[in-house]
Every structure is written in structure tokens, then in C-alpha cells.
Amino acid sequence: MSTPYLALLRGINVGGKHRLPMKSLCEFFTAAGANRPRHYIQSGNVVFTATVQSVNRIAASVQDSIRNQFHFNTPIVIRSSNELVEIIAHNPFVAMGADESKLHVAFLQDRPSPTLVKKLDGTRSPPDEFELRGRDIYLHCPNGMGRSKLTTQYFDSTLKTVSTIRNVKTLRALEAMIHDLPSM
């Protein structure tokens, strides 16, 4: 039985770097065994269905295809459709009435250890705020992500994992796309 998933690739088609046509990206997912891959915007967001047993193999195969054909490495972070729904529904800053255009989520590849979590600095980038829940970091950046010091590099180095950040508007669009995926 196939489950809907979301693949988030970091650093695709951003600032003129790591150019990757979305048609090629979807073809890589299909070749790796994903069903019905669809992309959203040009920055490496793909929804697809796959079996639970195959999803990590698919991500690894897509990374290999990108490296072999386009000659760069890009991390891929995966979330199931159920995880995405929970992430959107439980954003603490939405509940506080924050402007959704200033809200983002950093998706971590791995759950960080409590020891590393203690190293996060809540005062690193005032007035920005963040809240870590499991493998996801909710971000409220009133002055915008471009001015924030809460970057993927900061989270990666502090938490010893890989992260990629998306805004809430993008997440809502991806959630709608996942719900439109036909069941298998």
C-alpha cells in the first residue's frame, strides 16, 4: 500500500545555484520507484506516493541521480502526509495570532539529541523566535527570513543534522497537493 509523502530538497534553484529542471526531478522520482510525483514551484518540493519500505531508498536514488546528472549534492528531507498535516495544524505561532507571512518551518533530517538541543540560542536573532518539536523547528521571523540568523547553517551545525526551511504558504499548498494525490 502506498502512502503520500513530501520530499523537500535543499538549495535547488535558489540564487542561480544548483539549477535543476523540475521535469527532470520528477523523472528521477519516477525512475526511483515513486508513484505520481508532482512538483510545486521551482525550489525542490515534490509530493508522491510510495510504500513505507521504499521511501528512503527512493530519496537516496534521487540524490544519486542529481549528483550523476547535474554534478551537485542536495539533501532531501522526507515527511509523510500525516506528519505534514500535524506540522501545519500545530504551529504554535499561528495559535498566537502571528502574521502567517512571517512563519516558516525548518525540517530536520534527524531528531536532535537533548544535549544538542540545549545548545540552541533563543536570543540569537531578536525579535525572531523558534520552537523545536521533534524533527521540526517552527520559526517566527517578524523582519523576514532574509534578516534572520536562524538559518539552515545555524541549525545544521548546532544540531548536527541537515535542515531545509519552507514558509507556511508553501506548506499549505503542498498539503493541498498531497490531498489531491490519487490513492493506490
Side-chain angles (χ1 to χ4, degrees):
M1 174 148 166
S2 286
T3 300
Y5 288 96
L6 168 62
L8 302 166
L9 287 76
R10 183 165 86 182
I12 298 296
N13 298 334
V14 176
K17 294 182 182 179
H18 297 140
R19 295 293 226 190
L20 176 62
M22 293 299 100
K23 181 179 179 191
S24 296
L25 181 58
C26 286
E27 289 170 356
F28 293 157
F29 272 89
T30 299
N35 300 306
R36 299 179 180 89
R38 295 174 51 206
H39 71 87
Y40 176 70
I41 61 177
Q42 299 297 311
S43 59
N45 305 291
V46 178
V47 297
F48 64 98
T49 62
T51 63
V52 172
Q53 299 83 5
S54 67
V55 72
N56 289 331
R57 179 188 49 76
I58 289 169
S61 177
V62 169
Q63 284 177 304
D64 289 344
S65 295
I66 293 168
R67 184 173 35 259
N68 292 338
Q69 189 165 338
F70 291 92
H71 311 292
F72 64 85
N73 293 317
T74 184
I76 300 176
V77 178
I78 303 286
R79 292 294 185 272
S80 71
S81 61
N82 290 339
E83 288 172 317
L84 179 61
V85 167
E86 290 294 313
I87 290 163
I88 292 170
H90 295 102
N91 188 316
F93 300 113
V94 170
M96 293 177 189
D99 176 357
E100 286 196 16
S101 70
K102 307 298 182 181
L103 301 181
H104 298 76
V105 177
F107 294 87
L108 307 178
Q109 201 161 52
D110 306 296
R111 182 183 293 265
S113 73
T115 303
L116 294 174
V117 170
K118 289 178 185 176
K119 294 181 179 184
L120 290 173
D121 179 3
T123 63
R124 175 178 172 79
S125 185
D128 302 336
E129 307 172 85
F130 65 89
E131 185 174 320
L132 172 67
R133 293 184 180 176
R135 295 183 303 150
D136 306 298
I137 302 173
Y138 295 92
L139 302 163
H140 176 224
C141 300
N143 297 325
M145 278 303 300
R147 296 183 179 186
S148 181
K149 293 180 184 175
L150 300 175
T151 62
T152 55
Q153 292 80 8
Y154 171 68
F155 291 122
D156 290 1
S157 65
T158 304
L159 299 175
K160 308 297 183 221
T161 188
V162 170
S163 62
T164 188
I165 297 173
R166 298 298 187 277
N167 65 48
V168 168
K169 179 182 176 186
T170 295
L171 297 179
R172 290 191 191 286
L174 291 166
E175 179 183 32
M177 286 177 65
I178 281 179
H179 288 305
D180 287 344
L181 285 174
S183 302
M184 290 193 67

